[in-house]
Amino acid sequence: MNIAYLGPPGTYSEQAASFYLNWVKGNQEFKGEVILRPYPTIAKALQAVTVQEVNLAVVPVENSIEGSVSMTMDNLWQLENLQIKQALVLPINHCLISCATKLEDIEMVYSHPQALAQCQGWLGKFLPQANLSPTSSTTQALEQLGKSPTTAAISSEKAAQMYDLPILSDRINDYPDNCTRFWVVAPESGEGSSSSSSTHTSLAFSVPANIPGALVKVLQVFADLGINLSRIESRPTKRSLGEYLFFLDIEAGILSPLMTTALKNISINVEILKIFGSYTVLTVLVD
């Protein structure tokens, strides 16, 4: 089994992938070799699933501070034959990693845009002199830190240990209960088929026209059936300014009678309906 994740090694995505792998081994009879394969972007990790280069991809979808990861959402809509088979919630504790001797010496801080945003209050207070530089992941810049004592990166404690780099300050995220939700994505025809134990469903849809009540007609179906929506978000269709797709996370399995009724009723009010999958949610336990 090959599992794709946003690399290089040491990212939070790799931690989530490792947790999922251990969970699978502990709950299923799986004796084959498993390879965790890093990819430079979320898009390439998901594309690797569609072309059967890997069996699964573990990708971030939402952070409790900064909200949704648009690259994941956009690619799930654009790519075909992908299905969510599991959700993972990973606690996120950011560290400032640097070979500098004190904070005042740091001139540049590197990290993924989400990590920089999750620490913006701390950075403004303790590193007001530093410039911020976005990277494709939280570990991309770590190999270069030893060459410049005026640079730093925001990443995890495990990443600092992996790259043998010192931590100047830990738990620097602005909110202590910071966490990120990941999706385990598989080919639609693979193992990711829905089961009666699924507790959540994710889908997206477009409406036929931008007219009053177009969105309400869909949402009212879930309200009338007493089905709770844990997330609703719009994303541009990329066809025309002012046209949007709507993404829903629903607290019900797709095989439940209520969801069967809901999907039947909303189908008459949408232009395109794409069901990403039905799954359970696991909370990752961190040492």
Side-chain angles (χ1 to χ4, degrees):
M1 180 185 292
N2 289 276
I3 301 178
Y5 69 91
L6 174 63
T11 60
Y12 294 103
S13 293
E14 185 189 35
Q15 292 182 33
S18 296
F19 174 87
Y20 177 73
L21 172 59
N22 292 331
W23 179 80
V24 168
K25 288 182 176 180
N27 291 272
Q28 301 177 20
E29 291 186 3
F30 183 80
K31 298 179 180 179
E33 181 184 8
V34 178
I35 299 174
L36 299 182
R37 298 183 59 177
Y39 283 80
T41 66
I42 293 169
K44 289 186 176 180
L46 289 172
Q47 290 162 8
V49 179
T50 64
V51 298
Q52 299 181 347
E53 194 170 277
V54 297
N55 304 92
L56 305 168
V58 178
V59 293
V61 64
E62 183 183 21
N63 176 260
S64 59
I65 298 176
E66 281 301 299
S68 296
V69 180
S70 58
M71 186 178 290
T72 297
M73 296 167 63
D74 289 347
N75 276 275
L76 276 176
W77 176 265
Q78 294 164 2
L79 297 172
E80 298 297 330
N81 303 319
L82 294 178
Q83 185 175 50
I84 303 164
K85 64 177 300 182
Q86 189 70 59
L88 310 169
V89 178
L90 177 72
I92 304 293
N93 292 311
H94 291 305
C95 299
L96 185 76
I97 302 170
S98 178
C99 294
T101 56
K102 55 184 185 296
L103 293 178
E104 291 77 10
D105 294 337
I106 296 174
E107 299 174 359
M108 182 72 73
V109 179
Y110 298 95
S111 197
H112 189 277
Q114 281 260 346
L116 292 173
Q118 291 163 28
C119 304
Q120 59 185 315
W122 189 94
L123 291 168
K125 181 178 180 180
F126 293 101
L127 291 176
Q129 79 284 358
N131 293 313
L132 309 181
S133 181
T135 57
S136 63
S137 74
T138 55
T139 58
Q140 184 184 14
L142 293 184
E143 290 186 348
Q144 306 301 319
L145 290 187
K147 300 177 182 179
S148 175
T150 61
T151 60
I154 295 174
S155 194
S156 68
E157 180 181 357
K158 288 186 176 181
Q161 295 170 352
M162 180 180 296
Y163 289 85
D164 193 23
L165 292 167
I167 294 174
L168 279 190
S169 188
D170 62 358
R171 297 184 180 275
I172 67 171
N173 30 279
D174 295 334
Y175 297 90
D177 294 330
N178 188 20
C179 60
T180 295
R181 182 161 55 103
F182 293 81
W183 279 338
V184 179
V185 180
E188 190 172 27
S189 57
E191 298 178 34
S193 58
S194 301
S195 71
S196 58
S197 62
S198 297
T199 57
H200 291 68
T201 300
S202 293
L203 56 82
F205 62 89
S206 59
V207 293
N210 185 14
I211 58 175
L215 177 59
V216 170
K217 288 179 181 178
V218 178
L219 300 184
Q220 193 63 49
V221 169
F222 295 103
D224 290 343
L225 291 170
I227 300 174
N228 191 48
L229 307 180
S230 57
R231 182 176 67 119
I232 175 171
E233 187 161 350
S234 61
R235 290 288 301 157
T237 63
K238 309 186 191 306
R239 296 182 304 195
S240 176
L241 185 65
E243 287 189 6
Y244 294 92
L245 310 170
F246 299 95
F247 290 75
L248 302 184
D249 289 343
I250 304 162
E251 293 183 353
I254 198 169
L255 298 181
S256 68
L258 286 178
M259 274 296 292
T260 300
T261 302
L263 293 175
K264 179 181 178 181
N265 292 346
I266 68 172
S267 62
I268 61 175
N269 295 311
V270 301
E271 177 189 33
I272 300 173
L273 174 64
K274 195 164 185 179
I275 299 171
F276 297 133
S278 197
Y279 50 88
T280 58
V281 180
L282 295 174
T283 298
V284 178
L285 300 177
V286 178
D287 296 335

